[in-house]
Amino acid sequence: MLMVVKNQLKISWLSIKYALIREMLNKTTFLTNIIFMVLNNASFIVQWIILYSLKDNVGGYTFKQVLLLWGIASGTYGVAHFFFKKAFSLSDTINTGKLDSYLVQPKNVLISAITTDIDTSALGDMIYAYITLFIYGVTLPNFLLFTFFCIIGGIFLTSISIILSSLSFWFSKSDIIADTGNGLMTNFATYPDGIFKGIVKILLFTLIPVGIVNYIPVRVMVSFNLGSFLIVIMATIFIVILAFLVFYKGLKKYSSSNLMMAKI
Amino acid sequence: MRKYLFIYKSEIMSELQYVFNILIGFIGYVIILFIFLNLWKYIYNDPNELINGYNMNQMIWYVIITEILWSSLGGRKLCRKICDDVRGGNIAYNINKPYSYIGYSLFSHLGSATIRGILYIILGMILGFIFLGSFPNLNILSILAVLLSGILATIISTLLIIFIGLLAFIIEDSNPFYWLYSKAMLVLGTIFPIEYFPKVMQTILKYSPIYVVSYGPAKLFVEFSWPNFITIIFWQLIYILIAYGLCAILYKKGVKNLNVNGG
């Protein structure tokens, strides 16, 4: 069992590595994508400088805590889109019959299908995440916690996308649901939960679990709480298992579209 | 001009076939407005309190209008298309056509923006009324003036995005420039009116495209005045000339050096 996991991880790693080498062939484009993504994210600092000039505290967050929130949002997004880019277009892979080529491989279909490509600009997101951590104040425990939350959050975001995209096995237009769900997670992720009230706040910790990916990690980093830390881990394990179950349940309904394509 | 109007009309007809896709885009728009409604409600202790000359309702209406302008534009798709045309060599097919590539891109994009704009205006007004319970004090003439300013703003935005797309003649992938442009527009022009920025920045922003593509029409909607209208329209017309000129120069230079392989 362990050997199977090890082999699968090795294959996925090689796949990501070669995708990165491919992207690096054009160095100018590669670097512009990364640098501009960092600048793109950094532009939002202006928004928060202005808001904090009006009020010392926005939704229970200080300026540095909002930066940390941004860092975790950016880091989780970066991890998800760099390592598992194809999870965010899985609906298309299913709808157009592109899963065929993964079905004949002696490896895990889902992991192979989502790790075949990378998003270069997501490297910019990850770099920006660490820039915000340095502004917030870096210590060894902070650094480790931050890295852990970015990885686990990235896996969480990927799992949500897999679950929503897997609906394509049953419904033809479900890519819209997946896009909307992914959009919801990103839009809410960079605003403090304190500005929301009532049912919306409950939704942010349940149906739209931005709270698990972003808000709880920030709280744990500001003031460590083992209970909250474990909630994030348990929720991630649950969502990952659910993603695998939904995908493989759906895969039984998959039918090929006789698509001919070359995989290099 | 007739051929461009035909392109414009064809694009409207084509866009009408995909109204469902536009309606799906409404979800994102509603979420953004909902977040800002909550944010401004949190910032304003009292809805009638004035911050930098705006009360809470005016701030929310400001965001509604700037978001209508931005969401109906669909700039990312336009930039990607032009960038792909240049990179993929498709632009070569347009060289021998009896129209200008810039004119074609402008009018075809305005066609799709028109349908999106109408739908977003309807949605924005409904949401604004649901959230705030009232409209800003505007008469028919001032509404038409705001609409004119909004149309000119969309023309300028489209030309600026065409210019960014054409940068692919110089750097292979011009999409990252669009990310920066869109974020600058979002942070400096969509979320806050110019009055929220420090004095030095206000002067710079008043001469920047942000003033004509975002701030101008929204400011007219929340606090209409004829002198303001004349100033904004004047600068919008100047900007149309500048933006078109920049596109024409870049296109001319780029096409001269164009080298397309294969077919």
Side-chain angles (χ1 to χ4, degrees):
Chain A
M1 175 68 182
L2 274 177
M3 275 307 285
V4 175
V5 174
K6 198 180 159 193
N7 277 340
Q8 180 60 55
L9 286 177
K10 198 175 164 188
I11 292 284
S12 298
W13 176 250
L14 282 174
S15 182
I16 291 164
K17 188 179 145 188
Y18 290 126
L20 182 63
I21 292 169
R22 201 167 56 232
E23 290 292 322
M24 285 170 81
L25 283 176
N26 189 331
K27 283 197 174 56
T28 316
T29 308
F30 178 76
L31 288 174
T32 354
N33 269 292
I34 296 170
I35 295 166
F36 276 48
M37 185 48 79
V38 174
L39 294 173
N40 176 49
N41 290 339
S43 61
F44 279 96
I45 291 179
V46 177
Q47 176 191 349
W48 291 105
I49 288 174
I50 289 175
L51 287 172
Y52 277 94
S53 70
L54 304 174
K55 220 164 180 154
D56 297 336
N57 179 310
V58 178
Y61 285 59
T62 62
F63 179 68
K64 281 193 169 181
Q65 287 167 355
V66 161
L67 272 185
L68 187 64
L69 179 70
W70 246 101
I72 288 184
S74 182
T76 50
Y77 185 92
V79 168
H81 285 257
F82 183 76
F83 294 102
F84 312 111
K85 179 189 174 184
K86 286 286 181 179
F88 297 87
S89 56
L90 192 60
S91 293
D92 179 61
T93 311
I94 296 166
N95 288 335
T96 52
K98 289 177 191 163
L99 268 183
D100 291 9
S101 54
Y102 304 105
L103 289 171
V104 292
Q105 288 175 10
K107 295 289 166 208
N108 185 288
V109 179
L110 176 58
I111 297 178
S112 302
I114 63 174
T115 54
T116 48
D117 202 3
I118 59 156
D119 184 350
T120 316
S121 61
L123 275 175
D125 288 308
M126 287 192 264
I127 292 169
Y128 180 71
Y130 282 98
I131 292 174
T132 59
L133 177 68
F134 277 94
I135 298 173
Y136 175 75
V138 66
T139 59
L140 184 63
N142 258 356
F143 182 84
L144 294 175
L145 266 179
F146 186 81
T147 306
F148 178 76
F149 283 133
C150 286
I151 294 170
I152 210 163
I155 294 171
F156 199 105
L157 288 183
T158 308
S159 303
I160 289 178
S161 186
I162 291 168
I163 294 168
L164 296 175
S165 304
S166 295
L167 296 177
S168 290
F169 286 120
W170 291 278
F171 315 107
S172 61
K173 278 275 178 189
S174 65
D175 53 325
I176 294 164
I177 301 172
D179 288 347
T180 309
N182 294 330
L184 276 173
M185 291 293 292
T186 319
N187 282 326
F188 280 106
T190 50
Y191 290 93
D193 53 321
I195 63 169
F196 305 108
K197 290 185 182 81
I199 188 123
V200 181
K201 199 156 184 175
I202 298 168
L203 285 176
L204 290 177
F205 284 87
T206 50
L207 205 60
I208 315 163
V210 185
I212 310 284
V213 183
N214 300 86
Y215 301 143
I216 296 181
V218 170
R219 283 178 202 167
V220 171
M221 285 194 65
V222 171
S223 159
F224 187 80
N225 179 303
L226 187 64
S228 303
F229 182 72
L230 290 174
I231 287 174
V232 176
I233 296 174
M234 297 307 285
T236 309
I237 293 171
F238 170 75
I239 203 91
V240 169
I241 293 171
L242 190 65
F244 271 91
L245 285 176
V246 173
F247 179 81
Y248 280 98
K249 180 93 179 156
L251 193 59
K252 286 180 185 160
K253 293 188 81 73
Y254 176 72
S255 55
S256 164
S257 64
N258 283 333
L259 178 75
M260 297 281 284
M261 62 175 204
K263 275 188 71 67
I264 302 158
Chain B
M1 194 63 193
R2 273 179 65 187
K3 56 194 169 195
Y4 294 113
L5 286 177
F6 184 77
I7 292 167
Y8 174 73
K9 210 172 111 189
S10 307
E11 196 56 37
I12 287 184
M13 300 310 285
S14 157
E15 194 68 15
L16 280 172
Q17 306 299 314
Y18 302 103
V19 170
F20 181 71
N21 289 356
I22 302 172
L23 297 179
I24 292 297
F26 279 5
I27 300 169
Y29 179 78
V30 174
I31 292 165
I32 296 283
L33 285 192
F34 179 76
I35 290 173
F36 278 100
L37 176 76
N38 280 276
L39 188 64
W40 286 117
K41 273 188 173 172
Y42 187 88
I43 299 285
Y44 278 89
N45 296 317
D46 169 12
N48 295 320
E49 176 192 357
L50 285 181
I51 300 179
N52 295 316
Y54 293 82
N55 62 32
M56 192 187 82
N57 280 16
Q58 284 178 316
M59 270 313 298
I60 293 167
W61 275 117
Y62 182 89
V63 177
I64 289 174
I65 299 302
T66 51
E67 280 290 341
I68 287 174
L69 287 167
W70 188 249
S71 304
S72 59
L73 188 63
R76 192 194 312 175
K77 199 174 150 196
L78 173 66
C79 184
R80 198 181 301 151
K81 189 193 167 292
I82 291 179
C83 187
D84 288 347
D85 276 355
V86 175
R87 288 165 76 185
N90 266 350
I91 204 159
Y93 295 111
N94 291 282
I95 293 172
N96 60 355
K97 295 268 168 67
Y99 56 67
S100 120
Y101 178 74
I102 299 165
Y104 169 79
S105 303
L106 173 67
F107 279 87
S108 83
H109 187 74
L110 286 178
S112 55
T114 302
I115 299 297
R116 282 197 301 270
I118 291 168
L119 293 173
Y120 274 101
I121 287 171
I122 296 168
L123 176 72
M125 293 304 119
I126 293 172
L127 283 177
F129 191 75
I130 292 170
F131 289 156
L132 306 168
S134 65
F135 290 110
N137 198 12
L138 289 166
N139 58 35
I140 295 289
L141 261 182
S142 45
I143 289 172
L144 290 175
V146 176
L147 270 177
L148 174 66
S149 173
I151 292 166
L152 294 179
T154 308
I155 294 173
I156 300 165
S157 289
T158 308
L159 284 169
L160 289 175
I161 293 167
I162 292 172
F163 176 76
I164 294 170
L166 289 174
L167 284 175
F169 277 124
I170 301 164
I171 178 163
E172 198 187 328
D173 185 1
S174 58
N175 285 306
F177 287 92
Y178 175 75
W179 304 339
L180 265 193
Y181 171 80
S182 65
K183 286 304 174 295
M185 279 295 164
L186 182 69
V187 176
L188 304 175
T190 306
I191 304 172
F192 305 108
I194 287 176
E195 290 85 352
Y196 269 71
F197 295 93
K199 284 270 180 281
V200 186
M201 265 186 92
Q202 282 187 28
T203 318
I204 299 167
L205 290 173
K206 274 187 180 164
Y207 290 101
S208 75
I210 287 159
Y211 180 81
V212 286
V213 305
S214 192
Y215 171 84
K219 174 77 178 175
L220 286 176
F221 187 81
V222 297
E223 201 181 358
F224 189 84
S225 78
W226 286 106
N228 237 352
F229 169 73
I230 291 165
T231 314
I232 289 163
I233 295 289
F234 171 76
W235 282 110
Q236 285 184 320
L237 292 173
I238 297 280
Y239 255 99
I240 288 177
L241 291 176
I242 294 172
Y244 186 81
L246 286 172
C247 289
I249 292 168
L250 187 58
Y251 179 76
K252 207 174 163 189
K253 282 200 162 200
V255 164
K256 247 184 204 171
N257 300 323
L258 186 68
N259 190 357
V260 177
N261 296 315

